[in-house]
Amino acid sequence: MGAIQVVEPRVVKISTRTEIDIRRTLPHAHLNRIGAWVFLDHFGPTTQVDGMKVAAHPHTGLQTVTWLFEGAVDHRDSIGSEQTIRPGQLNLMTAGSGIAHSEKSLGGPAALHAVQLWLALPDAVRHMTPMFQHVEAPREVRIDSLLAKVFIGELTGVKTEAVVFSELVGAELALDGQVSLPLNKRWEHGILVVEGEIEIDGQPVRKDQLAYLAAGSGAVRIEAKNFVGILIGGAPFDEKIVMWWNFIGRSGDEIVAMREAWNEREYPEFTDELGGWIPAPELPNVTLRAR
Ligand code: MN
């Protein structure tokens, strides 16, 4: 049984998501990624339901995975998708060679509470034509008193319809009690505590922390009180990547080209209620290197 590494979130304020503090646990100084999962933002719950207003911005070389606990968010993109997402649904945007999108939270629900994650695309498919998929309902897996809503990938042989390009899982977990959760032994995993408190193999993990479980374990014992969390995992992703702003490439030069293409407005236009677009920031003064 490998040791469990606990990652503290960084609080990130993003000017375009005005009223919301984001807790980011991936990437982290001590943890680059978990399988192909390279980015994990958790925001809310907040009653500033109109707090999320992210104008048009690009993505390349990755998939964005959006999962809500509460609220509603409108998605628009440059391939013509218009989709409101609500709790229990998945929005999966495969950026491939490049896509632009905007996100706006809607009034009406009492609160907004969500996670957004990114998956690195393997080299063989990262230049693919962009696509967007909305899945209405997750696959449910019950193990003793644990309920797992599997929204992407697969858990204990139960597979979702979400289109992915490496072996992985993403699921919302709910547990009040204890369970031995079977894990794919070849995969590494992470468990984000969203609500409640848990012990994983006897180690306490607090709210907003991400527990990292190295590959090699066929199961993990979880004891929980009113726990809600996110399970991510996957086969170790052994390609070196460069991640900068909203792009994933394989070299600094690729990132420079992606940035220019966006700032020179080479992406298809689309309309939304937000208007405007977010320019890419200045590149750092050092050469971006793959890691
Ligand atoms: Mn985005």
Side-chain angles (χ1 to χ4, degrees), residues 102-212:
S102 67
E103 293 160 289
K104 178 183 182 296
S105 56
L106 303 177
L112 175 65
H113 188 195
V115 285
Q116 191 176 73
L117 306 101
W118 298 353
L119 285 163
L121 285 172
D123 192 46
V125 296
R126 69 188 177 100
H127 301 291
M128 67 183 286
T129 303
M131 57 188 213
F132 177 80
Q133 187 182 11
H134 175 76
V135 181
E136 282 287 323
R139 300 291 307 276
E140 293 194 351
V141 172
R142 284 175 198 275
I143 306 164
D144 299 329
S145 57
L146 173 86
L147 171 63
K149 296 177 184 172
V150 188
F151 52 81
I152 193 167
E154 63 177 292
L155 182 67
T156 63
V158 176
K159 216 169 175 170
T160 71
E161 63 198 90
V163 176
V164 295
F165 301 92
S166 58
E167 292 182 56
L168 60 93
V169 64
E172 179 183 322
L173 305 179
L175 176 67
D176 194 15
Q178 51 180 297
V179 73
S180 174
L181 175 66
L183 299 176
N184 185 319
K185 212 169 180 169
R186 294 179 298 106
W187 294 3
E188 47 189 355
H189 292 85
I191 297 175
L192 175 74
V193 180
V194 173
E195 279 170 31
E197 45 191 74
I198 62 171
E199 284 188 7
I200 301 177
D201 285 340
Q203 177 162 341
V205 186
R206 295 193 311 272
K207 186 168 148 56
D208 292 333
Q209 291 179 330
L210 174 70
Y212 170 73

Side-chain angles (χ1 to χ4, degrees), residues 17 54-55 57-59 62 64 93 101-103 116 118 246:
R17 291 176 180 172
V54 190
H57 62 281
H59 289 285
L62 56 89
T64 64
M93 186 178 76
H101 77 140
S102 67
E103 293 160 289
Q116 191 176 73
W118 298 353
N246 295 310

Side-chain angles (χ1 to χ4, degrees), residues 64-78:
T64 64
V65 174
T66 306
W67 178 258
L68 270 60
F69 302 101
E70 294 175 89
V73 174
D74 236 1
H75 162 96
R76 302 287 166 101
D77 67 40
S78 56

